Amino acid sequence: MDFFQPVLDGFGTVLDPTNLLYCLLGVTVGMLIGVLPGLGPAATIAILLPLTYGVEPVTAIIMLAGIFYGAQYGGTITSVLLRLPGEASTVVTVFDGYQLAKQGKAGTALGIAAIGSFIGGTVAIIGLTFLAPLVAGFALDFGPPEYAALALLGILLVATISNGAKIKALIAAAFGLLLATVGRDTFTGAERFTFDNLSLADGIDFVPVAMGLFGIGEILYNLEERHRAAKAPASVKNVWPSLQEFKTSAPAIGRGSVLGFFLGILPGGGATISSLAAYAVEKRSAKDPSRFGKGAIEGVAGPESANNAAATSSFIPLLTLGIPANATMAIIFGALLIQGVTPGPNLINDDPELFWGVVNSMYIGNILLLIMAIPLIGIFVRVLRVRGAILAPITALITLLGAYTIRNSMFDVLLVVVFGAIGYLMKKFGFEPGPLVLAFVLGSLLESNLRRSLLVFEGDLFGFASRPISGTLLVIFVVVALLPIIKSAIDRRRRPGLAATVAGTTEPAQKPSQKNKENA
């Protein structure tokens, strides 16, 4: 009963009218953002950060969490109806969802996606409820060496697992670590990389970095890479799937929910990788894989369950370890710090109202999304008719005004513009901003705990290996760092052998033709 009492109290927190209103607002905005191609939950949360300043911490995080998992629902609508993924995690849904829509089964695809998303999200919330306290209890044994090793591993995992070139991701992460060192040294008081600018003496604030990279940067990039104009789809009929269709989809929903839950916990995992993995699992386990890409209902059910489960389970490392699993979690991490809340193993005991309030708000949010998903389709599709040239300036203006209202400082606005330009150039040249933001957020955690550990170990780096947890984490770090190098070396060795095999098989076939030429 001691365990369930805080959980039940958390429902009391969520059912407060203000918190319910913000939960509804969050999931509605999230669905809208999911529908709009390009913007994404990370950019939206970054833009809305200033609005959370005058709100209670639990209320603010309930809204931001709602935006995150609500975006997974919204992205499905345009993926199915318009072949236009609103979110990166719904790209896979296009393969079979759009084919179903062309066959007149758009309602079935959206209905099964809504049900799968609801079940996947709910399974992950139940897992979060029971697993998070265990992880937090284990993490209470963490000291400075363990946190330093964990932060280092988290940065490396996100940099190496993220989409795009690994070298570029590592460069972005290194730049993020460099930005984290700007300002006064907390140990010595010396100024670093401030260039005698008093505004930089206290370091670079997280909000201008997030708003610039994910707000202005995304807006500029999407203006240049404008998506094709979307046409209004035909009316959606027969929204709820038949009993037979649900029976066909049920195993895919179950597998996707479990797979998404575990992949969401891993740093760098997230909803996008989970949906791709779930689609691959369904195609491999199907009796007739050729159906996939031609309108297989499992190709919608599995990925949609997985991406919502992953979106929810990614809160586990954030709330229990203080380690963001992806870029959106990094921004929510920043929002918690702004509110004076430090995520970590003590959060469950120190602030149970916030912890269980946020967790239980996801139950309510998932129910709200299930109810709203289908009726709002028509409204969301009309929004797509608004030209990007109109939406972009309005969004940019809101972002800059929000940056100014944080501290009434034009320097913050300038920082947003600078990081907006950096974000645009990063996207243009194939650098993902996610590793940069994660490294920036974890940089201070890494530096402070590394230096505390070195003080304890009197400068002996081998002290990290002498502690079981930090030693294990460092071994995992080395394995993750060396694995791509070993894999590329094996691939290079195989290529000459493969070339020789191909040459050997083609040579006999060429000899007779050469002999015939000579005879001729």
Side-chain angles (χ1 to χ4, degrees), residues 130-140 142 265 316-317 320-321 345 348:
F130 288 96
L131 188 61
L134 296 176
V135 175
F138 169 74
L140 286 172
F142 278 36
I265 297 172
I316 293 177
T320 59
L321 300 174
I348 296 179

Side-chain angles (χ1 to χ4, degrees), residues 40-115:
T44 308
I45 292 171
I47 292 168
L48 295 179
L49 275 179
L51 298 182
T52 64
Y53 275 55
V55 183
E56 288 294 318
V58 63
T59 307
I61 305 305
I62 283 173
M63 182 185 73
L64 298 181
I67 292 171
F68 182 41
Y69 57 81
Q72 312 305 321
Y73 274 77
T76 308
I77 296 170
T78 47
S79 293
V80 171
L81 298 180
L82 305 172
R83 203 180 183 181
L84 191 66
E87 249 306 285
S89 59
T90 60
V91 169
V92 184
T93 310
V94 170
F95 302 155
D96 289 283
Y98 185 68
Q99 292 299 322
L100 285 167
K102 285 174 69 177
Q103 296 167 19
K105 297 181 180 179
T108 301
L110 290 171
I112 207 70
I115 293 169

Side-chain angles (χ1 to χ4, degrees), residues 3 7 61 65 68-69 119-137 257-258 260-262 264-265 308-321 329 347-348 354-363 366:
F3 170 75
V7 179
I61 305 305
F68 182 41
Y69 57 81
I119 293 173
T122 304
V123 166
I125 299 163
I126 294 169
L128 171 60
T129 302
F130 288 96
L131 188 61
L134 296 176
V135 175
S257 302
V258 174
F261 174 77
F262 286 106
I265 297 172
N308 278 269
T312 302
S313 65
S314 59
F315 279 88
I316 293 177
L318 174 69
L319 297 177
T320 59
L321 300 174
M329 288 295 106
L347 183 62
I348 296 179
L354 185 142
F355 183 89
W356 292 113
V358 170
V359 171
N360 293 342
S361 72
M362 297 179 192
Y363 288 108
N366 265 287

